[in-house]
Amino acid sequence: KVGIFLKQNRKVLQSKSFEISEERTVQQIDFDVLFKDTGLQVLEIEITQEEKDIAVSGFTAIQVLDNKAKIAILTDSFSWDTRAFSRIISANDRFDSELFYIEKGSLKQKGKNVKPIWGEYAGIAIFTDGSFLLNSNDLAAIKNLVLNGKGLFYFGNTANSLTDVLPSRPTNIKIQNEGQTHLTNEALAYQLFRDIEPHWSKLPPVEFYYLNPKEQATVLAEVRQQQQIPVILLDNYGTGNVLQIAFNGFWRWQFGLDSKSNENFVNNLAQWIFAGDSSNFYAYTDKNAYYLGERVTVKLVAFDEKLAPLSQLNAQIRLEDKEKTVFTEFLVKQSDIFAVNIPELPAGTYKYTIRDDVNQRETTGEFEILQQDIQSMHKGFNHKLLGEIAQASAGLKLTGKDLNSFSFPKVESQKKYKFHEIPLHKNALFIVVLLFSFTAELYLRKKWKLL
């Protein structure tokens, strides 16, 4: 019999048990949990088998949404790319998309002017040939959304009205050429691009725009002709992610990939850009306050854009006391998490910052070292520990009235005898000597006429 426990912050949310069957190699266990908070929720799964005293655990994470994330799709010309993206996003249970058409600077739906409530949207997707003539109020609202952490998915040539937001600047070359895209080494730092890399060469050519990447932008894909022309770029505007796909023909990728793989790739891109990744890098301690002399362990749980645990990190912790650095060290991988033990510290409040230079992520936290020594809390008997020791050693735990009425067993003396036998019949030399002696005796008796 196996028990499985779903935990969060060391507290059991739900537990279930099931019988192991040789006929079923895979067992699916469903948990129905009501979360009080939205955002990334770090969970621990613990599986135990009491009969064999086996326990294994691992970490995962899920995104808890208040409602479906609302995505605004803006276009100034309906294209196959717009239709393909809108169809995939609309079919995703995580998103609730709305399509707006830009005409003479105004946003329209079904031929009527509309005024979106921009604060309700978790992200914006824009399809344009580079003109993108939108009224100043809506344009300022979109920039403010991205500035404050919402994602922008931009398809097309760089628009002058969004140069400050996008990861590229426009050029004077207005024509488009066709070419095959190639992933860069920077793209392979992200799990979703590593997953699709084996199939990338099967993707059909695209009609790309000429543009200049900004210095801080990350080029994820390029067309390699006489020079490297960036076609997929990533950057941040404020705290929001901005991904630009600077070509047409995105919809044709469904012919290079099977339908499911293409939809998964687009959905993973959208989830990454719209949801952000700052909360996928999470550090914590076992508790918020420690006694003087008690060991402190800081743990780090890191997930990629698909919420799978990251295994390649170069994470370093910097511990500060009143803005003075008192400890720095690299974290060590332990199963699905990274951890570091903090040496003994004096009483006070400590803040820590963990940064990973590989994935360019950072997280912070704090904990308190109390004035009280841990020995000051050692009063009386640890009944819980005594009970566990008694259970593990098949002993008895006696307290109070049971102790007074318990009759201790008397000692009984026992005699034990120990014998040691020498197996001479297994010794070849002994048998030879015995036969020789017996034969010599017969010979001598006959010679001396004693027989």
Side-chain angles (χ1 to χ4, degrees), residues 377-426:
M377 304 303 296
H378 291 173
K379 299 177 181 179
F381 294 100
N382 190 336
H383 294 287
K384 181 179 179 181
L385 179 60
L386 290 174
E388 292 177 355
I389 294 174
Q391 184 178 8
S393 60
L396 291 175
K397 178 189 172 186
L398 302 174
T399 58
K401 183 173 61 176
D402 296 333
L403 182 62
N404 297 329
S405 60
F406 180 74
S407 176
F408 289 91
K410 296 181 179 179
V411 177
E412 297 180 358
S413 61
Q414 294 181 351
K415 292 183 179 181
K416 293 184 178 181
Y417 297 92
K418 187 176 182 181
F419 299 93
H420 183 69
E421 297 181 355
I422 301 176
L424 295 177
H425 61 283
K426 295 182 179 181

Side-chain angles (χ1 to χ4, degrees), residues 213-401:
K214 292 181 179 178
E215 292 76 8
Q216 74 278 9
T218 301
V219 177
L220 302 177
E222 60 191 11
V223 172
R224 296 168 184 169
Q225 295 182 345
Q226 295 179 350
Q227 59 181 349
Q228 284 76 33
I229 302 163
V231 291
I232 301 181
L233 304 95
L234 176 68
D235 199 1
N236 296 104
Y237 181 69
T239 56
N241 291 327
V242 181
L243 183 74
Q244 181 177 7
I245 295 182
F247 57 80
N248 297 330
F250 180 76
W251 67 275
R252 296 193 189 99
W253 283 12
Q254 61 187 314
F255 303 120
L257 300 170
D258 62 87
S259 179
K260 190 66 175 177
S261 298
N262 182 57
E263 290 177 5
N264 287 341
F265 179 64
V266 175
N267 280 321
N268 288 332
L269 271 178
Q271 181 177 314
W272 173 33
I273 299 303
F274 294 146
D277 61 0
S278 59
S279 58
N280 294 4
F281 193 74
Y282 173 70
Y284 64 97
T285 54
D286 290 332
K287 45 189 178 180
N288 296 325
Y290 293 84
Y291 293 106
L292 196 65
E294 190 176 3
R295 189 177 72 175
V296 179
T297 300
V298 179
K299 300 176 182 178
L300 173 69
V301 182
F303 302 93
D304 61 23
E305 57 279 0
K306 295 174 63 179
L307 299 185
L310 288 171
S311 58
Q312 299 297 327
L313 292 181
N314 188 29
Q316 186 178 28
I317 186 172
R318 185 179 76 253
L319 187 67
E320 296 180 345
D321 175 18
K322 296 180 181 179
E323 298 183 357
K324 176 185 176 183
T325 301
V326 296
F327 176 73
T328 58
E329 184 59 88
F330 287 95
L331 279 72
V332 179
K333 190 174 188 301
Q334 298 178 1
S335 186
D336 288 339
I337 66 173
F338 291 78
V340 61
N341 293 325
I342 307 297
E344 188 170 330
L345 298 168
T349 301
Y350 295 87
K351 297 182 179 180
Y352 60 84
T353 301
I354 297 178
R355 177 171 176 78
D356 172 37
D357 292 331
V358 174
N359 298 280
Q360 298 298 315
R361 295 184 183 180
E362 186 175 283
T363 184
T364 60
E366 63 180 344
F367 60 86
E368 183 86 13
I369 301 295
L370 303 175
Q371 295 285 352
Q372 294 83 359
D373 192 290
I374 191 170
Q375 269 89 27
S376 64
M377 304 303 296
H378 291 173
K379 299 177 181 179
F381 294 100
N382 190 336
H383 294 287
K384 181 179 179 181
L385 179 60
L386 290 174
E388 292 177 355
I389 294 174
Q391 184 178 8
S393 60
L396 291 175
K397 178 189 172 186
L398 302 174
T399 58
K401 183 173 61 176

Side-chain angles (χ1 to χ4, degrees), residues 78-91:
F78 285 110
S79 64
W80 286 105
D81 287 344
T82 309
R83 295 175 186 275
F85 181 83
S86 179
R87 176 183 57 82
I88 294 174
I89 294 300
S90 297

